[in-house]
Amino acid sequence: CIAIAAPLLLAVAIGTSNADFSTLLLFALIHGGVQAMVVPARDALLSRIANNNIQHTITTVMGLQFICQILGFVVASGASLIGATALLCAQAALYGIGALCAYRLPPARPLVPMGHEAYRGTRTELGHAFRDVVQSARIGPIMLVMVGVGFIFIAVFSVVIPLMVRDLYQGDSVGLALINGAFVAGVL
């Protein structure tokens, strides 16, 4: 419900000309918080559906994700014509369809952690997981690089590039969609 409410509230704020920096910041915090919960849960499902072919499953899911992102950029390129309010309502509708599909999934058996005693509380579990990551010679450096990418690259990509498209090149939603699409295509 929160994932659906966030774009709808932003659409109302934009539609009534009441959107300001605090509204956008609230939307970003809610949307980012939801994504922080959804993405790990989605990724955890991969091992449950992959059977013995996890690499193929991951590759397929990543390919589908990139294709959907590019389709999203194509749709978003029309924001100058159809408006941000309509796109945000469509985003909320897609979230609703996704929630309905997820709700209809059969319940999965809980995974029993191997080599661990009973659940010890969220803080304790997170603390142990963080310690394991930091102490791991394989996972620790990868996590450090990913944190650096998040702070250095993604922040620039999410903030500076849209401002450059708008202010430096006088671009609109089409220009931003082209830049974003080129980025995703370059990743592939």
Side-chain angles (χ1 to χ4, degrees):
C1 290
I2 294 172
I4 298 168
L8 288 178
L9 291 174
L10 184 58
V12 168
I14 291 171
T16 58
S17 299
N18 290 318
D20 57 6
F21 181 73
S22 60
T23 306
L24 293 175
L25 187 60
L26 180 64
F27 170 78
L29 289 172
I30 292 171
H31 193 264
V34 168
Q35 291 301 310
M37 301 299 148
V38 169
V39 171
R42 179 203 66 189
D43 292 348
L45 286 174
L46 290 178
S47 62
R48 292 180 181 231
I49 63 170
N51 295 326
N52 292 326
N53 203 356
I54 188 76
Q55 195 62 41
H56 175 69
T57 304
I58 290 172
T59 304
T60 303
V61 168
M62 287 183 69
L64 288 171
Q65 178 177 327
F66 282 130
I67 290 168
C68 289
Q69 282 178 323
I70 290 173
L71 289 173
F73 297 143
V74 169
V75 171
S77 71
S80 299
L81 297 173
I82 61 175
T85 303
L87 288 177
L88 288 164
C89 290
Q91 180 182 18
L94 287 173
Y95 283 166
I97 292 168
L100 181 63
C101 291
Y103 179 76
R104 295 189 55 163
L105 288 172
R109 292 180 288 111
L111 295 177
V112 178
M114 296 171 40
H116 288 77
E117 48 281 357
Y119 177 72
R120 298 170 294 221
T122 302
R123 286 187 182 181
T124 304
E125 295 291 330
L126 285 173
H128 287 294
F130 183 74
R131 184 197 65 218
D132 291 345
V133 166
V134 169
Q135 292 176 350
S136 171
R138 298 178 107 187
I139 300 173
I142 294 170
M143 183 59 85
L144 184 62
V145 168
M146 293 310 296
V147 167
V149 165
F151 279 113
I152 297 167
F153 180 71
I154 298 300
V156 170
F157 185 76
S158 299
V159 177
V160 176
I161 290 179
L163 291 175
M164 286 175 58
V165 168
R166 184 191 72 189
D167 297 340
L168 191 60
Y169 298 106
Q170 288 72 45
D172 58 1
S173 59
V174 174
L176 186 57
L178 286 172
I179 293 290
N180 285 327
F183 173 77
V184 172
V187 169
L188 289 176

